Amino acid sequence: QVQLVESGGGLVQAGGSLRLSCAASGRTFSSYVMAWFRQAPGKEREFVAVINRSGGSSAKADSVKGRFTISRDNAKNTVYLQMNSLKPEDTAVYYCAAGPTYESTWSFYDYWGQGTQVTISS
């Protein structure tokens, strides 16, 4: 099965930026739709962004539009989440996920990383 490992999380002040990376094992990375989700303390896992297999199309949650950008480099088996203008409300564990369809619902994804903590101070 596919293994995913997130990195790039940390502590940053409101208004700052972070770039998350998710490295995937396997030879068929380009066959998967990739997505980012996040989960804040006491809250449900929330969709953040999704990108199609080629990287030519993407979609984002309304809460992050204009601030976050999802991208992928299939040659490096890596998907990224560029996070700008960060807000305290963005504090969460961020997870990358792989699945067969272009969806914003967590249940459509088959493989998940372990998560990386993002903390935004006010």
Side-chain angles (χ1 to χ4, degrees), residues 2-10 19-25 29 34-39 45 48 77-81 83 92-98 109 111-118:
V2 176
Q3 291 183 306
L4 306 173
V5 180
E6 301 97 334
S7 62
R19 188 192 192 205
L20 306 184
S21 298
C22 175
S25 65
F29 176 74
M34 299 295 297
W36 288 94
F37 291 78
R38 65 187 182 185
Q39 189 164 24
R45 189 165 297 186
V48 176
N77 281 14
T78 303
V79 63
Y80 305 95
L81 186 68
M83 308 163 64
V93 177
Y94 283 70
Y95 299 90
C96 65
Y109 292 87
Y111 305 103
W112 294 82
Q114 83 291 341
T116 186
Q117 177 71 49
V118 172

Side-chain angles (χ1 to χ4, degrees), residues 13 17 19 40 56 84 98 111:
Q13 198 167 57
S17 298
R19 188 192 192 205
N84 299 327
Y111 305 103

Side-chain angles (χ1 to χ4, degrees), residues 6-81:
E6 301 97 334
S7 62
L11 174 65
V12 66
Q13 198 167 57
S17 298
L18 284 173
R19 188 192 192 205
L20 306 184
S21 298
C22 175
S25 65
R27 302 174 182 176
T28 58
F29 176 74
S30 62
S31 71
Y32 292 99
V33 171
M34 299 295 297
W36 288 94
F37 291 78
R38 65 187 182 185
Q39 189 164 24
K43 297 182 67 177
E44 292 283 324
R45 189 165 297 186
E46 176 188 29
F47 169 76
V48 176
V50 60
I51 190 164
N52 73 347
R53 294 169 180 84
S54 69
S57 297
S58 65
K60 294 172 284 293
D62 288 343
S63 60
V64 305
K65 285 181 179 177
R67 301 188 299 121
F68 291 10
T69 301
I70 187 170
S71 61
R72 68 192 294 165
D73 186 339
N74 287 343
K76 296 181 178 179
N77 281 14
T78 303
V79 63
Y80 305 95
L81 186 68

